[in-house]
Amino acid sequence: MDGKRTASGGARGEGDPGAVGRRVQRLRTERGLTQRQLAEPAYTPAYISTLEAGRVRPSEAAVRHLADRLGVSYEELATGRPAHLATGLRLRLVEAQRTLATGEAEDAAVAYAGLLAEAVRHGLQDERAAAVLGLGHCALETGDLPAAREHFEAAEKLLADAPLPRRAPAVRGRAVAHLLAGELRYACYLLESAIDELNTSGLQDPGALLLLYTAAIAPYMDMGAHARAAQAGELALALAPQVSDPELVAGLHRSVARTLIAAGRTAEADASLARAAEIYQQLQIRTELAHCRWMRGYVHAQDGDLSGAEAELRAARDMLASKRAALYTSQVEVELADVLRRRGKTTEARELLHRLLGELHPDRGSVHAGGAHRLLGLIHEEAGELDSAEEHYVTALALLERAGAAGDLADICRLLGDLLRRVGRTEAAMDAYRTGLGHRASPGSTTLGPAPIRPPTA
């Protein structure tokens, strides 16, 4: 080699021309090497002196030579990142994800925050996005919806230049946060926009599409757009054979069960939930397993098995409470209160609902807050406390109307209309019935436009 060789073309990953030189000087000094010992036989001592002074940007070949002489990896010398840092961070991200699945969200959030700081310090963009996404999931589980939205939006920005399939989990997370806050229309908009972009851009990633179609089922159901929810379920089921991720498939079965319940196909819904629960059990994902038991409790209630429903809902509630998933725990307790009322345990149901109303509010579980007021209205009406019943029905109507939950709105309008007619307020009763009929007449119209197009591969 030519001992007078100079560098041309900077080393990959090096933004500051002097950074490599400073690292070379530090490592050379630590190892007790002279500039001549480091340089030979490929370079001159003068070149090393110029490099360490930051007056030259080394070529990739120069960095590889110097890294070999200094006993470090090319990446570590070129970027300042310790060897195998990205691989180690990715392994620890998997560990944090496992903590979220099997332990408490607060512990997982601490792990993700530490990983985020490390990824930022070393300029690892993909790992940074993964850590922010994990923090969003932690915030969802604890019920901190503003923080969840903030994290998912940040993850989308970090992945702005990545293909849409890589951004799909962040889009889905943001949609779920808006759904739980009662912003059903916007949740649908986010999911439908992403689905259409995937289907029209030639990026028909089966896993990403399955994730988005599955996520759309819940807001569709809450909005009363049952036909659209069923279509989303059918399209997701068609994609399932192309997807190898068992967690995605389990989520599909759990979500499709909602459409089956609405269609009165409770045996099929129960079988679908059993398949999902089996996968979640194998993966040890406790929160999703609790969701399966929650829905199985609802299936039992629909079939009139109130004892079985109470057992499943209590089990789901205890599992979620042990995970400190406060918002989900409150939502299960609304379902449990309904079963308790139907079983004649009115006092327990009333006490439970009053406690829940301190935890649920318009920006945090508005659909279930409306459900809690509906149940309290029924309890007061059955006790002959008609003024209190009307107050709860009116509050429920306002919450559900704000969320756009068309199916539940029609039901609460019927209950309010019947109560008003019972006390002789016929005109007010007619207004309530008309409001309910207006929402029932076009249950799918609360979405923002035509249903998402079908994927060409389905």
Side-chain angles (χ1 to χ4, degrees), residues 338 341-342 346 353 371-385 388-390 392-393 411-412 414-415 422:
D338 186 31
R341 180 189 69 84
R342 292 168 63 185
T346 308
L353 290 165
H373 279 290
R374 172 188 175 277
L375 290 173
L376 282 169
L378 285 170
I379 290 171
H380 283 292
E381 185 172 3
E382 290 162 356
E385 301 161 353
S388 295
E390 180 183 348
H392 283 294
Y393 287 153
D411 175 67
I412 201 68
R414 177 187 60 80
L415 289 171
R422 179 179 169 187

Side-chain angles (χ1 to χ4, degrees), residues 24-231:
V24 168
Q25 185 177 42
R26 174 178 58 80
L27 292 168
R28 179 180 63 77
T29 303
E30 288 174 358
R31 286 154 177 73
L33 297 173
T34 66
Q35 291 179 336
R36 181 177 299 280
Q37 288 171 324
L38 180 60
E40 293 180 344
Y43 299 89
T44 65
Y47 172 69
I48 299 300
S49 176
T50 304
L51 172 63
E52 290 181 351
R55 294 196 296 270
V56 65
R57 184 189 297 272
S59 67
E60 180 178 333
V63 175
R64 291 193 183 280
H65 164 80
L66 296 171
D68 183 62
R69 298 286 288 168
L70 292 166
V72 297
S73 70
Y74 166 77
E75 180 185 13
E76 184 172 355
L77 188 58
T79 67
R81 300 169 190 155
H84 310 301
L85 174 70
T87 301
L89 271 176
R90 284 192 287 271
L91 288 173
R92 288 160 60 198
L93 283 165
V94 172
E95 291 172 7
Q97 185 179 17
R98 174 55 51 192
T99 299
L100 179 59
T102 61
E104 293 182 3
E106 289 88 347
D107 294 335
V110 170
Y112 278 123
L115 291 166
L116 173 60
E118 197 167 339
V120 170
R121 186 165 61 251
H122 294 290
L124 295 171
Q125 197 77 345
D126 288 348
E127 289 71 21
R128 180 181 176 185
V132 172
L133 191 65
L135 286 169
H137 288 301
C138 291
L140 270 187
E141 186 153 310
T142 59
D144 188 351
L145 301 182
R149 288 194 296 271
E150 181 179 333
H151 288 312
F152 290 127
E153 287 170 5
E156 281 191 78
K157 289 178 182 177
L158 288 168
L159 296 170
D161 295 329
L164 180 55
R166 286 196 54 210
R167 288 183 275 121
V171 174
R172 181 260 183 194
R174 191 150 65 102
V176 171
H178 285 286
L179 167 66
L180 292 174
E183 298 162 356
L184 310 184
R185 180 189 294 261
Y186 191 61
C188 286
Y189 165 75
L190 289 173
L191 294 166
E192 290 180 345
S193 298
I195 289 169
D196 279 341
E197 185 178 344
L198 275 172
N199 284 331
T200 58
S201 65
L203 298 173
Q204 295 100 15
D205 182 283
L209 279 172
L210 180 64
L211 181 71
L212 297 171
Y213 276 125
T214 299
I217 290 174
Y220 284 154
M221 293 297 295
D222 286 346
M223 294 169 74
H226 292 181
R228 190 168 287 193
Q231 182 193 47

Side-chain angles (χ1 to χ4, degrees), residues 438-450:
H439 288 288
R440 177 60 72 187
S442 51
S445 64
T446 44
T447 53
L448 294 179

